[in-house]
Amino acid sequence: MRVSSCLAGGLLLSSITWVQAAPVLTVCAEPWPPFIDSGNGKPAEGLVPEVLGRVATAQPVRLKYVFKAAAACLRLARQGQVDVLAFASAADSPPGWVQTRQPLVFWVLSAWVPAHSPLQSFDGLDMFRGQRVGWVAAYDYPAVLKAHTDWRRVDVLDTQRGIQMLAGGRVDVVFDDALAAEGVAEHFRQKVKRLSPLLASVSQPLSLRPGLEPLRDGVDVEAALLRKHGQLAYFYQQHFGTSLPQVVPAAQ
């Protein structure tokens, strides 16, 4: 028993030393549940930390999460202070950074209108002709929205402010995901509604610094497995009420 205890202690010490020796990679993200958020008692929670965590364990690397606005994350990436951006395209990343290629995270957009609106479903962008559209300048809207000019854009600070302005009658429509009203007070949520079906979706890749191609490839493998086994479809149905086959073809 004494020999076994010593052996077990040696293995545990070796394991701790091995984990401590693993390089630490910093992931910078703007909180965006259910994809990624700061966790209660955990560094991060959501779909992306779950996937990254499995891949990091197999690599092996350790992950450190920093939560900031998207612009601040990009600034830190350009300064060489972070290793992974969640989320950024090649155009929004430092030169040479690589992006995941398998579908995992999508910004699923629907039209939000006042609860008293006679509109019951989304039938095309022309139904908003001449209306006031709440528009967040910092968001990378899909091309189909950016190219539309038959409405009047009204600048709003962020999603929550857009929903508040919609509830207050200061804009006529807001384009955002199914969770857009989650962060506002109940009396605002009661004054807005979301039209179905979705109008577009935008793929949101992870962006990784040069040299982290193995981590990128590992995330792609995990994403492909989640899709193959139906777990990704369940995730979008559960959180957004939208099937994955609807989300993917709409992606731009």
Side-chain angles (χ1 to χ4, degrees):
M1 288 295 294
R2 183 177 181 183
V3 173
S4 298
S5 297
C6 291
L7 179 59
L11 290 174
L12 178 60
L13 182 60
S14 297
S15 176
I16 293 174
T17 302
W18 173 73
V19 170
Q20 290 177 338
V24 177
L25 302 179
T26 300
V27 182
C28 195
E30 186 169 0
W32 186 20
F35 298 112
I36 188 169
D37 200 4
S38 55
N40 295 323
K42 296 187 294 183
E45 61 183 6
L47 176 65
V48 170
E50 289 176 10
V51 171
L52 276 175
R54 289 194 292 271
V55 178
T57 299
Q59 292 281 322
V61 295
R62 291 183 290 159
L63 300 175
K64 173 185 176 183
Y65 288 91
V66 175
F67 289 96
K68 294 183 178 292
C73 284
L74 177 57
R75 184 173 63 252
L76 291 175
R78 288 171 174 164
Q79 295 171 352
Q81 297 186 44
V82 300
D83 305 286
V84 181
L85 290 173
F87 307 88
S89 64
D92 296 323
S93 304
W97 281 48
V98 297
Q99 291 73 46
T100 50
R101 298 158 294 186
Q102 284 292 323
L104 181 64
V105 174
F106 290 92
W107 185 25
V108 183
L109 288 101
S110 298
W112 287 82
V113 298
H116 59 74
S117 171
L119 300 176
Q120 298 299 320
S121 62
F122 172 70
D123 301 314
L125 294 177
D126 285 342
M127 63 195 299
F128 305 116
R129 186 187 302 273
Q131 296 192 6
R132 300 164 299 172
V133 177
W135 196 267
V136 183
Y139 289 175
D140 185 17
Y141 290 100
V144 65
L145 292 182
K146 290 189 286 189
H148 207 77
T149 58
D150 292 336
W151 53 42
R152 180 163 64 89
R153 294 181 185 178
V154 178
D155 289 337
V156 300
L157 180 63
D158 53 25
T159 293
Q160 292 186 9
R161 185 59 176 164
I163 293 296
Q164 291 171 354
M165 291 175 67
L166 181 65
R170 297 173 61 186
V171 296
D172 303 302
V173 61
V174 169
F175 301 119
D176 216 311
D177 63 37
L179 305 180
E182 290 297 312
V184 300
E186 177 64 24
H187 66 277
F188 288 121
R189 291 200 298 269
Q190 293 177 351
K191 295 180 180 180
V192 299
K193 65 180 179 181
R194 180 172 62 95
L195 303 180
S196 295
L198 64 89
L199 61 91
S201 67
V202 185
S203 180
Q204 301 288 309
L206 300 181
S207 189
L208 304 88
R209 66 165 171 77
L212 294 182
E213 287 81 1
L215 185 64
R216 184 272 310 273
D217 296 343
V219 172
D220 280 343
V221 169
E222 284 287 329
L225 288 173
L226 288 175
R227 186 173 182 180
K228 178 181 178 181
H229 297 300
Q231 293 161 294
L232 198 59
Y234 176 79
F235 175 87
Y236 279 93
Q237 190 65 54
Q238 178 187 28
H239 290 286
F240 299 99
T242 304
S243 70
L244 191 61
Q246 288 177 304
V247 172
V248 175
Q252 299 188 29

